[in-house]
Amino acid sequence: MRRRTTERLAIDAALLVLAAAFAVPLVWLVLASVDPLAGLRVRIPHSPGLSNFTGVLNEEITFRPMLNSLLLCGSATALTVAAAALAAYPLSRYRSRFNRPFLLTILFTTCLPITAIMVPVYALFVQTDLIDTMYGTALFMCTSQLPFAIWLMKNFMDGVPMVLEEAAWTDGAGAMQTLRRVVLPLMGPGVMVVTIFSFIMMWGNFFVPFMLLLTPEQLPASVSIYNFFGNRTGQVAFGELAAFSIIYSTPVVLLYILISRRLGGGFALGGAVKG
Amino acid sequence: MSSTLRRGGPLGWLPLTPAVLLLLVFLAGPIGYCVYIAFTNMQLTGTSSTDFVGLANFRRAFSDVNFRNAVWLTLVFTVISSILGQNSLGMALAALMRRASKPVRTVTGIFVIAAWVLPEIVAAFLLYAFFRREGTLNAILGWLHLPTQNWLYTLPILAVSFANVWRGTAFSMLIYSAALNEIPQDVTEAAEMDGATGLRRFWHITLPMIRRSIATNLMLNTLQTLSVFGLIWAMTRGGPGNRSETLPVFMYDQAFLKSFIGYGTAVALLLLLISSLFSAVYLRLIKTEV
């Protein structure tokens, strides 16, 4: 038994070292955000205070970009979830020789890097006057998330037994009614996971709005924060930048905690990995 | 369940329309357009018309020193950060966490996953601060009496690779935790009875049993790493010079900063082709039952 204890101690120690390596940048973020004289180095603030937060809590730096993010990602997520739920229903319920090729194409698309098609997307958006519009950007963000959302949604829908649905069908309900009244309520947690996951992915997305939105007033937080420290000319207020990073990250961290139980363990991309 | 599956009839497939329309217009469309532009000399500015130039963009790419540099750096970035870093570290974390005490397991999980959940740009900013000359890494090295240097200048590709490891390891860790959980207890116990030590057990029993998870995780990590742009762009902008300019950054630079849309898109198309290859292998690997 003693060998066991030593082994466990060694493993604990090794893990704590690794955890510390992962923690250092995060610790810096938290300490710098409450340090009015923050630099790039981790240090205990001499006179901690919330001045960095009050410094960025204004319309230009925080409120407008956050509102833009909310509008952009909120509308794109709503559209993604609606389109994915509709698409998943026939894929999950009907039998057809098109199902398998369609789903394989969807899964294949899930893996394609959106980064690679941003140049033609930009060119297309310029030609169709969608460039620098919130709705155009939201439509594209929705589409880029759609393959994965359909895949997740279909897997969750497969888990809903058809018995209750059969009853609704015999009572004369149509497909759409059955989907809305029976299937979706039964897979509520699944819909929530798809919604939150899509939202998190879009909230953190930098490249798409960076390319497709130009007017400063329309930029979401992911791009405005880049402009904040990307243009590193002159003095950078690292403390304020840290404070804004925390404000910007908080929604996704909270949402992740909300669904982490379902995402953790066997999540692995909603069965995409396990097949 | 298959007994109750019905044929929907032509109208039954109507719900697919919004999704299919969006995918055709905003995904298939750009990919098709990508194939077209890659064979033209389209420019962003100027009045010159767009002409079909055949394979000129690709010939130019293969003879371009900067393109070859980008391919090489992409390879380095992918091998270091995805294959060696995220994959191996993720597996080590998952394996160790199973045998650690609960508080340590929880603490480790929280920090590793937090790095993954944070938005890309925040991660870039944090690692930028960490690697800067006056940043924390040098502070720690100085404290240990080890040589310090300006990491983002001397070893930029290594710095962004480590940033990608920091950010992406949680995904591998979660996949391997799930895979390890599915190994039946009695298999490992039998090996333990036979006197196999921890490392031998891991090598001869655990690894072969999670072979499929390893393959899929490597695929997904590689695909994800091939498309990293924001992290590198925000940390180094591909510099100094072009010493951390991977293919996505090179593509952006050529298409937008130098306004060679045709050339940049040819690079994007090559990136798409490489990714498609990986995706195809991935689909074969999971042999999914859809």
Side-chain angles (χ1 to χ4, degrees):
Chain A
M1 273 300 105
R2 171 166 307 159
R3 203 170 66 96
R4 277 263 150 125
T5 324
T6 357
E7 190 189 84
R8 168 154 292 184
L9 277 177
I11 287 177
D12 279 359
L15 274 179
L16 283 177
V17 171
L18 284 173
F22 274 89
V24 169
L26 298 166
V27 171
W28 176 78
L29 179 69
V30 174
L31 291 179
S33 74
V34 292
D35 186 348
L37 301 168
L40 286 166
R41 209 161 263 204
V42 172
R43 63 160 204 174
I44 307 295
H46 295 301
S47 50
L50 293 177
S51 65
N52 290 325
F53 284 94
T54 49
V56 296
L57 278 176
N58 55 51
E59 197 205 326
E60 199 201 349
I61 298 177
T62 301
F63 299 135
R64 200 170 51 209
M66 291 288 279
L67 187 67
N68 287 340
S69 283
L70 197 65
L71 282 173
L72 197 65
C73 307
S75 57
T77 302
L79 197 60
T80 306
V81 173
L86 285 172
Y89 186 73
L91 290 173
S92 166
R93 265 33 184 171
Y94 302 152
R95 191 173 31 183
S96 155
R97 61 201 156 95
F98 295 116
N99 275 20
R100 199 181 148 79
F102 187 83
L103 280 167
L104 283 178
T105 312
I106 288 287
L107 194 56
F108 181 77
T109 317
T110 308
C111 300
L112 290 185
I114 295 300
T115 311
I117 61 166
M118 282 320 290
V119 178
V121 166
Y122 177 85
L124 272 180
F125 268 47
V126 169
Q127 278 171 20
T128 50
D129 266 337
L130 280 172
I131 199 76
D132 202 23
T133 60
M134 289 276 252
Y135 69 92
T137 311
L139 279 171
F140 182 72
M141 286 176 98
C142 157
T143 312
S144 62
Q145 193 57 40
L146 199 52
F148 187 58
I150 294 176
W151 182 259
L152 263 184
M153 196 73 95
K154 193 247 171 202
N155 279 349
F156 281 123
M157 212 175 266
D158 285 346
V160 176
M162 303 250 278
V163 188
L164 290 165
E165 214 175 331
E166 293 290 326
W169 277 91
T170 28
D171 287 347
M176 283 305 94
Q177 252 178 321
T178 324
L179 174 64
R180 197 161 45 89
R181 297 255 175 87
V182 182
V183 183
L184 288 181
L186 281 174
M187 52 179 285
V191 176
M192 195 176 91
V193 167
V194 179
T195 310
I196 293 179
F197 191 80
S198 304
F199 188 83
I200 291 178
M201 295 312 284
M202 292 174 191
W203 189 265
N205 195 317
F206 163 73
F207 200 24
V208 175
F210 177 66
M211 294 279 285
L212 302 181
L213 292 173
L214 313 166
T215 321
E217 284 73 31
Q218 298 201 70
L219 295 181
S222 57
V223 183
S224 75
I225 185 179
Y226 167 77
N227 292 341
F228 198 173
F229 92 101
N231 305 321
R232 292 189 275 265
T233 48
Q235 286 285 328
V236 178
F238 287 107
E240 295 197 342
L241 194 42
F244 179 59
S245 298
I246 288 184
I247 297 172
Y248 164 49
S249 307
T250 304
V252 285
V253 172
L254 292 180
L255 286 174
Y256 180 81
I257 293 171
L258 205 63
I259 52 166
S260 57
R261 259 165 193 276
R262 294 190 153 266
L263 288 180
F267 162 55
L269 292 184
V273 173
K274 280 161 35 178
Chain B
M1 193 168 86
S2 59
S3 64
T4 45
L5 276 176
R6 351 163 244 281
R7 295 187 175 278
L11 273 183
W13 296 91
L14 214 57
L16 270 175
T17 339
V20 170
L21 270 181
L22 281 169
L23 289 170
L24 282 180
V25 174
F26 290 103
L27 214 59
I31 291 176
Y33 198 43
C34 182
V35 176
Y36 165 71
I37 306 178
F39 293 96
T40 69
N41 63 354
M42 187 184 281
Q43 304 230 346
L44 197 59
T45 49
T47 48
S48 60
S49 61
T50 300
D51 297 312
F52 193 73
V53 294
L55 290 172
N57 286 325
F58 296 94
R59 272 200 293 274
R60 173 173 167 190
F62 291 117
S63 59
D64 184 347
V65 185
N66 292 320
F67 174 77
R68 288 206 293 258
N69 170 67
V71 172
W72 168 245
L73 288 178
T74 307
L75 206 66
V76 172
F77 182 62
T78 310
V79 169
I80 295 181
S81 69
S82 144
I83 298 174
L84 295 179
Q86 296 177 356
N87 184 62
S88 311
L89 188 58
M91 187 185 293
L93 281 167
L96 289 177
M97 276 165 88
R98 290 171 65 78
R99 323 186 70 194
S101 57
K102 196 168 187 322
V104 173
R105 194 161 60 216
T106 312
V107 167
T108 314
I110 286 176
F111 285 130
V112 176
I113 291 177
W116 181 53
V117 175
L118 285 183
E120 184 178 24
I121 283 301
V122 174
F125 166 51
L126 291 186
L127 274 300
Y128 167 79
F130 182 71
F131 281 113
R132 272 288 296 255
R133 188 200 291 278
E134 57 277 26
T136 305
L137 178 58
N138 279 343
I140 296 172
L141 290 174
W143 184 64
L144 294 171
H145 298 291
L146 291 168
T148 64
Q149 53 187 310
N150 191 352
W151 298 97
L152 291 169
Y153 188 82
T154 50
L155 292 163
I157 192 68
L158 208 60
V160 292
S161 299
F162 272 105
N164 197 33
V165 172
W166 186 77
R167 184 170 153 66
T169 298
F171 180 79
S172 305
M173 185 185 83
L174 290 174
I175 287 194
Y176 287 132
S177 296
L180 293 177
N181 270 332
E182 278 177 13
I183 295 180
Q185 199 76 51
D186 45 340
V187 177
T188 31
E189 269 167 16
E192 209 161 343
M193 291 291 190
D194 294 344
T197 60
L199 219 55
R200 280 184 71 115
R201 226 165 39 228
F202 187 74
W203 188 256
H204 289 293
I205 296 164
T206 313
L207 275 187
M209 289 192 81
I210 60 169
R211 208 177 48 230
R212 237 172 67 147
S213 299
I214 297 174
T216 46
N217 181 54
L218 275 175
M219 280 302 139
L220 292 174
N221 275 347
T222 306
L223 282 162
Q224 197 271 333
T225 303
L226 276 178
S227 66
V228 169
F229 172 82
L231 192 68
I232 300 178
W233 186 252
M235 279 180 75
T236 66
R237 293 203 185 171
N242 58 6
R243 299 215 323 266
S244 60
E245 192 174 69
T246 57
L247 279 172
V249 180
F250 179 73
M251 171 202 84
Y252 178 81
D253 181 51
Q254 291 296 324
F256 287 96
L257 305 187
K258 304 205 168 70
S259 92
F260 300 127
I261 295 264
Y263 185 44
T265 309
V267 175
L269 189 62
L270 290 172
L271 199 59
L272 264 181
L273 285 177
I274 300 170
S275 307
S276 305
L277 222 65
F278 277 104
S279 308
V281 176
Y282 165 65
L283 284 194
R284 293 287 312 228
L285 272 173
I286 65 172
K287 286 196 191 89
T288 175
E289 299 146 20
V290 290

